[in-house]
């Protein structure tokens, strides 16, 4: 089995945003599809993890886009494992057009949790390591994100059916959708997001009262957070250009 | 070119709901994918319509599900044209599992509008008619939906970036997502939706203040609507079992 996986998509016109471009949450869905497919084909996918009563949990994600695919563009998405540690593994992505031009890169950090206790479990370093590939992913690694929740008024939000994933928790991509929806539609018409980074810190569950926070830290650079009763479930940083 | 098109999907685990099943909005996305692909391959897709300064607009949709696909299920989606009139065309769908068991059926009614005036245009009956197929679609046609908006208090909603489609209007599938999110999460755990029917009546645009309405008309049978300043943008009927 090759170390680098390649997945192909067509940017469907009925999924485009008002700019006629793929949305950042849609990019997130493409990444999840590729991560799931790549892991599954190599014996450490959703089914294999479930058999061992474990599940992959996305811990951090950074996406940098130079250009966004438009309707009918054919997208090639490459994914590979970058690093494997005792508790975390790092997976990289490159999105390309048909001619081999890069739309963008992404980096993700994953942990495996025990499905019962929801606590991290040790990774099988020996089984995962043969898939590590040195392919370059020239974007900054996801790092520490400045907290903004204590300095800003949050927008209240109640978790809904469409927000939940197969484990009954807030879906990772839906967090991104709700955070980006804090920006005015006009901002998406004038500018585009160069980099999005998100750190998943705690699981969101039905019934939790949420607050969505946003603060402009520097020109075009925003700190964001989703909190429940003062505790951050996720923090994000968004850079516009 | 065959009259009936067949599209294949795998129910991705990262897109499942908290029941571990495909959601109704996801079924909607599969239908849009198949409709778009079937029309495109036969010379009346998004690109060809755009060249003529026209666009397909979904007018009515009815979906009946006997069973919902679960993670990793392979889904075959058949679609065909059922009727062609001067202003409307009817497209049917059947969703099947790998063994040929039917998950469900759907019926949709489409109009073509002029992109400038946003008014209906006459359909090219001669060009579309050769694709009409008599394949059976044994569910009730989408019909008149009882208005409930005057009898119920609406939940206010502001249109966000993620709600918009490529034309800058409220995305047809997002209407379904927002309406179903009016039901408690517990209801999805206890019951499932047997039939959803929706009539799209006017286009939702950024800045419109919306109200989401829901009323139980008979046991397990709900009337719904999304309104802006008293005018219905869409009405829906949902039957649980």
């Amino acid at each position: 089995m090759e170390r680098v996986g390649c997945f192909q998509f067509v940017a469907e016109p009925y999924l485009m945003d008002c700019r006629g471009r793929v949305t950042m949450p849609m990019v997130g869905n493409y990444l999840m599809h590729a991560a799931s497919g790549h892991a599954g084909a190599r014996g450490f996918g959703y089914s294999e993890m479930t058999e061992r009563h474990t599940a992959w949990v996305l811990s951090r994600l950074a996406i940098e886009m130079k250009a966004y695919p438009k309707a009918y563009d054919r997208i090639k998405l490459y994914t590979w494992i970058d690093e494997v540690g005792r508790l975390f593994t790092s997976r990289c992505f490159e999105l390309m057009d048909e001619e081999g031009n890069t739309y963008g890169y992404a980096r993700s950090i994953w942990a495996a949790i025990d499905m019962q206790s929801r606590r991290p479990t040790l990774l099988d370093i020996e089984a995962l390591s043969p898939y590590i590939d040195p392919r370059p992913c020239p974007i900054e690694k996801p790092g520490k994100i400045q907290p903004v929740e204590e300095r800003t008024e949050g927008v209240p939000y109640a978790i809904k059916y469409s927000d939940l994933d197969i484990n009954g928790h807030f879906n990772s991509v839906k967090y991104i959708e709700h955070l980006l929806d804090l920006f005015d539609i006009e901002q998406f018409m004038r500018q585009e997001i160069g980099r999005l980074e998100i750190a998943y810190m705690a699981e969101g569950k039905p019934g939790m009262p949420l607050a969505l926070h946003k603060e402009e830290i520097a020109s075009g650079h925003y700190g964001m957070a989703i909190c429940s009763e003062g505790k951050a479930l996720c923090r994000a940083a968004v850079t516009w250009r």
Side-chain angles (χ1 to χ4, degrees), chain A:
Chain A
M1 181 66 66
E2 286 181 22
R3 290 187 304 219
V4 179
C6 180
F7 296 80
Q8 305 209 36
F9 306 93
V10 175
E12 299 288 343
Y14 66 93
L15 291 176
M16 296 301 98
D17 69 6
C18 47
R19 307 178 303 145
R21 293 291 183 281
V22 165
T23 66
M24 193 54 106
M26 196 62 220
V27 172
N29 277 329
Y30 291 150
L31 303 184
M32 295 306 111
H33 178 100
S36 165
H38 180 269
R42 284 157 188 81
F44 49 95
Y46 176 82
S47 307
E48 294 81 13
M49 297 294 279
T50 305
E51 277 167 26
R52 281 176 255 152
H53 308 285
T54 57
W56 286 115
V57 170
L58 184 56
S59 170
R60 286 167 183 275
L61 177 66
I63 305 173
E64 283 194 20
M65 298 296 284
K66 300 181 199 181
Y68 286 79
K70 56 183 193 309
Y72 294 114
D73 280 358
R74 285 171 191 280
I75 303 159
K76 281 189 172 178
L77 174 53
Y78 295 89
T79 184
W80 64 98
I81 298 176
D82 175 53
E83 277 177 46
V84 178
R86 285 177 66 243
L87 291 173
F88 294 101
T89 174
S90 161
R91 171 185 290 287
C92 295
F93 304 88
E94 180 172 3
L95 292 114
M96 267 187 190
D97 70 11
E98 273 191 298
E99 279 86 47
N101 304 305
T102 301
Y103 288 118
Y105 294 96
R107 285 181 167 275
S108 59
I109 310 287
W110 300 77
I113 60 161
D114 180 274
M115 284 179 76
Q116 221 63 50
S117 70
R118 312 298 299 175
R119 306 274 306 163
T121 60
L122 293 178
L123 295 178
D124 187 346
I125 297 184
E126 218 172 309
L128 293 169
S129 296
Y131 296 107
I132 295 175
D133 195 89
R135 185 180 170 112
C137 187
I139 64 165
E140 211 180 300
K141 292 186 181 187
K144 196 154 170 56
I145 300 175
Q146 203 178 321
V148 297
E149 58 269 22
E150 283 172 17
R151 302 202 299 255
T152 55
E153 187 87 39
V155 177
Y157 184 77
I159 300 181
K160 300 182 172 70
Y161 163 71
S162 67
D163 293 322
L164 300 181
D165 67 12
I166 194 167
N167 298 310
H169 298 114
F170 212 118
N171 179 299
S172 319
V173 170
K174 275 284 178 175
Y175 275 126
I176 300 175
E177 185 181 306
H178 290 300
L179 285 172
L180 297 186
D181 276 342
L182 291 177
F183 293 102
D184 290 339
I185 291 165
E186 293 73 47
Q187 188 150 358
F188 289 91
M189 300 305 286
R190 288 193 316 264
Q191 293 183 275
E192 62 184 21
I193 296 173
R195 180 179 169 98
L196 165 86
E197 184 172 335
I198 183 163
Y200 298 97
M201 301 161 70
E203 292 178 317
K205 289 172 206 162
M208 278 185 175
L210 301 188
L212 313 176
H213 295 266
K214 179 185 81 168
E215 189 191 25
E216 189 166 13
I217 294 170
S219 175
H221 185 79
Y222 291 80
M224 310 188 90
I226 300 182
C227 298
S228 180
E229 293 169 329
K231 191 187 163 202
L233 302 183
C234 74
R235 290 200 186 108
V238 173
T239 308
W240 292 80
R241 64 149 177 264

